[in-house]
């Protein structure tokens, strides 16, 4: 399991939740795999209580299934849940990108451009983990510019099903369009073209449908419902 540095003032439950989510998204905790409260707690240096609380929270979102007396299992990938997560993200991000077109300053556009340069670098270096982090940072920047940072955190907690498929696409799809999509979105923001930016965002968030065949071909069939 991949451990993360613990934030100052981050309590045990928050840390356990962040680490487990990160490992589920990155498939370190693969779909269908069993997870043990004790083993997770030992690896993270926590008691079992915060780990149990984190697993219960993840179970509410359907990303973990808890079986009394038998332990917990990471849920298989269900494309109906992926689509529902994408729908919610699409509604929020289309509203946000329109606000960004109105509110973005030259300094904001410069920050987005700096993020894009790093994305290009890590796309060329095939560092998928860092590329996904930069992808997340790009979208968080948009929410920050629109002054909707709390909404980003809420969305992030509810789109794990979608995020697993996003991660799979990074290694399964030969011609990734992530950076190209982001560049086009920033250009539309620069022109204050809200209609174009919204259309580009919808295309960007819907690529998982186009990529589904490649993802299923790359990954073990037992990962999917």
């Amino acid at each position: 399991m991949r451990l993360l540095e613990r934030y100052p003032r981050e309590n045990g439950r928050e840390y356990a939740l962040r680490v487990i989510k990160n490992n589920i998204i990155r498939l370190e905790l693969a779909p269908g795999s069993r997870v043990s409260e004790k083993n997770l707690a030992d690896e993270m240096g926590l008691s079992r209580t915060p780990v149990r609380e984190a697993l219960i929270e993840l179970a509410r979102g359907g990303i973990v299934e808890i079986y009394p007396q038998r332990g917990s299992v990471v849920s298989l990938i269900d494309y109906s849940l992926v689509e529902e997560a994408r729908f919610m993200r699409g509604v929020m991000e289309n509203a946000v990108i329109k606000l960004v077109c109105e509110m973005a300053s030259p300094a904001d556009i410069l920050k987005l451009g700096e993020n894009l340069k790093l994305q290009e670098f890590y796309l060329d270096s095939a560092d998928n983990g860092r590329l996904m982090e930069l992808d997340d940072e790009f979208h968080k920047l948009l929410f920050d510019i629109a002054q909707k940072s709390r909404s980003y955190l809420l969305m992030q907690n509810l789109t794990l099903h979608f995020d697993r498929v996003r991660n799979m696409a990074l290694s399964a799809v030969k011609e990734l369009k992530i950076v190209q999509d982001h560049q086009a979105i920033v250009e539309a923001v620069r022109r204050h073209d809200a209609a174009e930016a919204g259309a580009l965002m919808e295309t960007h968030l819907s690529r998982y449908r186009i990529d589904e065949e490649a993802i299923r071909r790359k990954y073990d069939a037992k990962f999917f419902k």
Side-chain angles (χ1 to χ4, degrees):
M1 187 171 72
R2 180 174 181 263
L3 296 178
L4 304 174
E5 185 177 351
R6 189 164 172 176
Y7 297 145
R9 297 194 296 273
E10 185 176 37
N11 65 37
R13 185 197 63 80
E14 291 167 342
Y15 177 64
L17 182 61
R18 187 164 61 86
V19 170
I20 295 168
K21 282 168 59 175
N22 184 270
N23 279 273
I24 288 174
I25 290 169
R26 293 176 181 274
L27 308 180
E28 297 290 338
L29 295 174
S33 64
R34 291 191 172 276
V35 289
S36 159
E37 282 182 16
K38 183 180 185 308
N39 291 346
L40 291 173
D42 288 347
E43 289 196 60
M44 288 185 276
L46 300 170
S47 69
R48 293 176 67 168
T49 298
V51 173
R52 183 181 306 116
E53 291 172 348
L55 290 173
I56 289 170
E57 184 163 340
L58 290 168
R60 292 192 187 105
I63 202 74
V64 167
E65 298 166 11
I66 298 175
Y67 299 100
Q69 313 304 321
R70 290 188 291 161
S72 302
V73 175
V74 178
S75 300
L76 298 178
I77 291 172
D78 182 340
Y79 265 87
S80 68
L81 295 177
V82 173
E83 168 53 28
E84 188 170 348
R86 185 223 60 85
F87 171 79
M88 186 195 66
R89 184 165 175 172
V91 169
M92 294 183 72
E93 295 222 34
N94 272 288
V96 161
I97 197 63
K98 290 171 184 176
L99 289 173
V100 170
C101 286
E102 297 173 8
M103 300 169 67
S105 67
D108 292 327
I109 293 172
L110 183 61
K111 284 182 183 177
L112 291 168
E114 290 170 351
N115 175 280
L116 286 176
K117 288 178 183 177
L118 288 171
Q119 287 186 43
E120 289 178 325
F121 174 81
Y122 285 102
L123 179 65
D124 291 340
S125 68
D127 186 339
N128 293 338
R130 183 61 182 136
L131 181 59
M132 186 156 179
E133 288 173 359
L134 288 163
D135 185 355
D136 288 338
E137 287 173 19
F138 178 85
H139 288 271
K140 184 179 184 302
L141 272 171
L142 296 177
F143 277 77
D144 289 345
I145 293 166
Q147 298 180 13
K148 296 292 182 286
S149 301
R150 292 181 182 177
S151 296
Y152 177 81
L153 293 175
L154 175 63
M155 180 188 74
Q156 196 177 40
N157 287 335
L158 297 172
T159 58
L160 281 170
H161 298 280
F162 184 60
D163 290 340
R164 284 198 294 182
V165 171
R166 286 174 55 220
N167 182 62
M168 287 177 160
L170 293 179
S171 59
V173 179
K174 291 183 179 179
E175 294 185 13
L176 287 169
K177 302 291 185 182
I178 292 173
V179 178
Q180 184 178 320
D181 286 353
H182 289 166
Q183 289 169 334
I185 289 167
V186 172
E187 185 54 38
V189 169
R190 197 190 313 274
R191 299 195 309 270
H192 307 288
D193 189 338
E196 177 67 8
L200 289 167
M201 183 64 77
E202 179 63 28
T203 298
H204 176 58
L205 295 176
S206 298
R207 286 202 182 277
Y208 82 96
R209 296 183 187 132
I210 301 168
D211 299 339
E212 181 177 354
E213 183 180 349
I215 290 168
R216 287 184 181 272
R217 189 166 55 244
K218 165 81 174 180
Y219 286 94
D220 195 323
K222 68 183 181 183
F223 284 3
F224 304 91
K225 281 191 174 180

